[in-house]
């Protein structure tokens, strides 16, 4: 009840007629947009997943040879005669993606089972990024000799082989953009690329993505990877880098030759043994670090 002296409250103002359609239309558009976006997301095909099933396992044992560059060494000396007192660093167990890149995996496994990687050097270490091994050349210099029956790897020109990225430490990749083999070796019609890299972390290496073929991952031995990454390397001074850049700009071929020793480890790190690991279960569920 309201007193005669107190006027009743005024009713709420009515919205003009032209406001009602706008509200209704905005509600209708929002619902329509929601339905449209839902239908589009339903119709869009799912992204294909990459088969990173581990089909094979190999191992690489790494050691340090303290007297490989001793002054009394002769040309006939090899790792087996010079590096008798090596210091073991440990073993890497590598899982290979045989379904994804079967040719790359098959060649790498052949290089391990034929002991072609045995007694060959880790020739470059990029701190905080990756290290390189498998450079071709002369066996007495700790370089790789490729078996004559090694298959030609046509996956190196297949875009599907480059989809995995170097997402963190322990990624095994076939070197294409980072390849250190000399030009006279690459021009040989029987050339087979077997140089590989392993990322050391701590972060990813996006500069390697879509240029090198990721074909495996470290299953055991990341501590060994860390030990290799911590070995000091040759670092040129800023002045040498400037001279080198100038020489390259002027077309001096010696600039490229001078860079071959950059990031070279100051200790002789080498693969002291390699081979295939046979396990009871031939495959693991897909896994990436």
């Amino acid at each position: 009840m309201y007193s005669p002296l107190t006027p009743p409250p005024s009713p709420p103002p009515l919205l003009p007629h032209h406001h009602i359609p706008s509200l209704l239309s905005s509600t209708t558009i929002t619902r329509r947009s929601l339905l449209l976006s839902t239908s589009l997301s339903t119709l869009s095909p799912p992204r294909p997943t990459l088969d990173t099933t581990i089909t094979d396992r190999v191992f690489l044992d790494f050691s340090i040879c303290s007297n490989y560059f001793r002054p009394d060494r002769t040309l006939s000396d090899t790792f087996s005669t010079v590096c008798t007192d090596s210091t073991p660093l440990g073993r890497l167990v590598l899982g290979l993606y045989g379904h994804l890149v079967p040719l790359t995996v098959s060649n790498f496994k052949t290089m391990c089972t034929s002991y072609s990687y045995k007694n060959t050097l880790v020739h470059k270490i990029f701190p905080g990024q990756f290290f390189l091994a498998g450079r071709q050349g002369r066996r007495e210099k700790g370089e790789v000799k490729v078996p004559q029956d090694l298959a030609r790897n046509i996956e190196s020109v297949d875009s599907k082989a480059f989809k995995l990225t170097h997402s963190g430490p322990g990624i095994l990749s076939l070197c294409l953009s980072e390849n250190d083999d000399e030009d006279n070796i690459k021009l040989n019609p029987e050339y087979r690329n077997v140089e590989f890299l392993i990322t050391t972390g701590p972060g990813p290496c996006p500069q390697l993505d879509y240029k090198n073929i990721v074909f495996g991952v470290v299953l055991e031995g990341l501590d060994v990877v860390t030990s290799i990454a911590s070995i000091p390397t040759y670092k040129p001074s800023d002045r040498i880098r400037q001279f080198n850049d100038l020489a390259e700009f002027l077309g001096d071929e010696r600039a490229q030759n001078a860079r071959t020793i950059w990031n070279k480890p100051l200790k002789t790190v080498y693969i002291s043994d390699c081979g295939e690991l046979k396990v009871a279960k031939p495959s693991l569920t897909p896994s990436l670090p």
Side-chain angles (χ1 to χ4, degrees):
M1 294 293 294
Y2 299 99
S3 95
L5 298 177
T6 306
S10 59
L14 295 175
L15 291 173
H17 293 293
H18 65 277
H19 284 179
I20 297 175
S22 64
L23 291 174
L24 292 176
S25 62
S26 64
T27 305
T28 304
I29 291 174
T30 303
R31 290 176 179 174
R32 186 181 302 164
S33 302
L34 179 62
L35 291 173
L36 182 61
S37 62
T38 305
S39 61
L40 288 176
S41 62
T42 306
L43 293 175
S44 59
R47 296 181 63 184
T49 56
L50 300 176
D51 189 352
T52 56
T53 301
I54 294 173
T55 58
D56 304 272
R57 294 171 183 79
V58 297
F59 70 90
L60 299 174
D61 291 342
F62 290 87
S63 300
I64 293 179
C65 178
S66 58
N67 56 352
Y68 179 67
F69 294 108
R70 68 185 188 187
D72 60 337
R73 183 186 170 195
T74 64
L75 293 177
S76 61
D77 286 333
T78 62
F79 271 98
S80 58
T81 58
V82 176
C83 297
T84 54
D85 297 326
S86 299
T87 303
L89 287 175
R91 169 170 292 190
L92 294 188
V93 176
L94 303 167
L96 310 181
Y97 305 143
H99 292 165
L100 184 66
V101 278
L103 282 175
T104 303
V105 165
S106 176
N107 281 358
F108 186 77
K109 191 169 69 169
T110 298
M111 292 293 294
C112 292
T113 55
S114 64
Y115 305 107
S116 297
Y117 285 135
K118 185 174 181 179
N119 292 334
T120 61
L121 295 170
V122 173
H123 58 276
K124 289 285 182 69
I125 300 174
F126 296 84
Q129 300 180 57
F130 58 93
F131 68 80
L132 297 172
R135 173 185 165 98
Q136 292 185 49
R138 297 161 54 185
R139 290 290 298 184
E140 63 271 16
K141 294 178 62 178
E143 296 172 332
V144 170
K145 183 73 173 177
V146 178
Q148 293 183 352
D149 58 348
L150 197 69
R152 185 177 297 277
N153 189 353
I154 59 175
E155 289 169 350
S156 61
V157 293
D158 185 357
S159 60
K160 297 178 182 178
F162 295 84
K163 292 187 175 181
L164 285 181
T165 60
H166 303 75
S167 54
I171 300 296
L172 173 65
S173 181
L174 183 68
C175 291
L176 297 176
S177 68
E178 303 299 321
N179 189 282
D180 277 343
D181 293 335
E182 295 182 358
D183 290 339
N184 62 331
I185 294 178
K186 292 180 183 178
L187 293 175
N188 189 323
E190 300 302 318
Y191 173 71
R192 302 290 185 269
N193 183 18
V194 295
E195 188 176 336
F196 64 93
L197 66 85
I198 296 178
T199 57
T200 59
C205 292
Q207 75 276 17
L208 302 176
D209 293 345
Y210 316 116
K211 302 173 185 176
N212 306 278
I213 301 177
V214 173
F215 65 96
V217 65
V218 175
L219 299 177
E220 300 176 20
L222 274 177
D223 57 327
V224 180
V225 173
T226 302
S227 298
I228 295 174
S230 66
I231 292 173
T233 60
Y234 172 73
K235 295 181 176 64
S237 65
D238 292 338
R239 187 172 183 179
I240 291 178
R241 288 181 180 274
Q242 291 171 1
F243 277 122
N244 189 274
D245 292 341
L246 178 61
E248 185 180 27
F249 176 77
L250 297 175
D252 193 334
E253 296 181 355
R254 291 175 295 180
Q256 180 63 34
N257 295 332
R259 284 199 295 270
T260 58
I261 63 172
W262 295 9
N263 295 103
K264 187 174 182 179
L266 299 180
K267 295 182 180 180
T268 304
V269 190
Y270 73 102
I271 301 171
S272 51
D273 201 5
C274 56
E276 183 180 9
L277 290 175
K278 298 292 186 179
V279 293
K281 295 181 179 180
S283 65
L284 293 174
T285 54
S287 61
L288 280 174

